[in-house]
Amino acid sequence: GQQVMQIPQYQHVQEGEDFTTYCNSSTTLSNIQWYKQRPGGHPVFLIQLVKSGEVKKQKRLTFQFGEAKKNSSLHITATQTTDVGTYFCAGPNGGSQGNLIFGKGTKLSVKP
Amino acid sequence: DAMVIQNPRYQVTQFGKPVTLSCSQTLNHNVMYWYQQKSSQAPKLLFHYYDKDFNNEADTPDNFQSRRPNTSFCFLDIRSPGLGDAAMYLCATSRGDRGVYEQYFGPGTRLTVT
């Protein structure tokens, strides 16, 4: 079945360092979404990428969608303690409209 | 503010005692989802409603049921909770329009089974 894989599982960085998480799908995706879940919180939608090779930026966050629409990355420049949380990528389940398959997430911790 | 609300935020139930979790939304979204999330894991979809059309995931145990009496409300019923059902239960909504799939999550209900 369709799988969405995400690496690394954990990342510990010093405040100010950069951070990247990678997402790979076993199938071509029509779009990919990214969510952030703070400790003790719920997933919050960050962004959706639709076009092959698309790059979007939100302040210090840069999101990329691969040319083949099977992989994506989230890069954070100069991490801050407010970036702490788990970042999930999610792709549509090919069988049902609106359903998402989530990657296992990358848990980011930032040491001040 | 438009939002997704879940009640209660914390629920303790006994092994085998039925429990109902509730979700309401003011976003007027036509799709509502129930996820189970265990510690350090990704949300796992249990089922969803597209309007009144119920869709069950193949691996969702029969112990889990859902009701959506109207657009705004959705309920998760666990008929006989086991210790393995202790988890965070997240409700989410989506417009469900073609090409628009972002989901809005509620704060979740943390279920403890004793």
Side-chain angles (χ1 to χ4, degrees):
Chain A
Q2 184 179 358
Q3 293 185 10
V4 176
M5 295 149 286
Q6 199 173 346
I7 58 169
Q9 189 174 358
Y10 301 97
Q11 185 76 58
H12 309 283
V13 301
Q14 191 78 35
E15 188 172 24
E17 292 181 340
D18 292 356
F19 158 77
T20 304
T21 173
Y22 300 91
C23 184
N24 285 283
S25 170
S26 58
T27 60
T28 301
L29 300 171
S30 59
N31 67 75
I32 194 158
Q33 299 178 23
W34 287 91
Y35 292 79
K36 176 183 179 181
Q37 186 172 22
R38 287 198 162 99
H42 57 278
V44 174
F45 174 79
L46 293 176
I47 207 160
Q48 178 175 267
L49 304 172
V50 179
K51 298 178 183 177
S52 170
E54 188 170 15
V55 178
K56 286 189 176 180
K57 292 190 176 184
Q58 290 179 351
K59 298 182 179 177
R60 294 178 295 103
L61 278 61
T62 302
F63 303 85
Q64 292 188 327
F65 200 11
E67 295 288 343
K69 302 183 75 173
K70 294 181 73 173
N71 58 72
S72 182
S73 65
L74 158 58
H75 179 82
I76 302 178
T77 303
T79 54
Q80 300 175 359
T81 54
T82 53
D83 296 324
V84 164
T86 301
Y87 293 84
F88 293 99
C89 63
N93 178 328
S96 300
Q97 183 181 19
N99 286 10
L100 295 174
I101 294 180
F102 281 81
K104 292 190 175 182
T106 296
K107 187 173 182 178
L108 172 65
S109 61
V110 179
K111 187 176 180 181
Chain B
D1 289 340
M3 57 175 55
V4 182
I5 302 162
Q6 289 189 245
N7 286 304
R9 295 291 308 275
Y10 301 90
Q11 176 74 57
V12 180
T13 191
Q14 292 178 337
F15 182 94
K17 185 175 181 181
V19 66
T20 295
L21 310 181
S22 72
C23 177
S24 64
Q25 55 132 339
T26 60
L27 296 161
N28 203 32
H29 285 170
N30 52 5
V31 191
M32 294 187 78
Y33 308 86
W34 278 106
Y35 289 90
Q36 180 192 65
Q37 186 177 31
K38 296 189 175 180
S39 181
S40 299
Q41 295 185 19
K44 178 181 181 297
L45 183 64
L46 296 173
F47 22 60
H48 78 280
Y49 276 93
Y50 193 102
D51 292 326
K52 294 183 179 181
D53 184 22
F54 177 72
N55 298 272
N56 200 33
E57 293 300 298
D59 58 354
T60 298
D62 293 340
N63 197 25
F64 292 82
Q65 304 286 322
S66 185
R67 296 170 283 135
R68 189 179 186 185
N70 54 53
T71 300
S72 301
F73 286 87
C74 197
F75 300 97
L76 170 61
D77 301 308
I78 309 177
R79 292 190 297 187
S80 181
L83 297 178
D85 296 327
M88 175 73 84
Y89 289 88
L90 295 162
C91 174
T93 71
S94 170
R95 285 172 55 190
D97 295 341
R98 180 173 291 277
V100 179
Y101 298 117
E102 63 213 68
Q103 296 189 9
Y104 297 81
F105 285 81
T109 294
R110 182 165 296 284
L111 178 68
T112 301
V113 181
T114 61

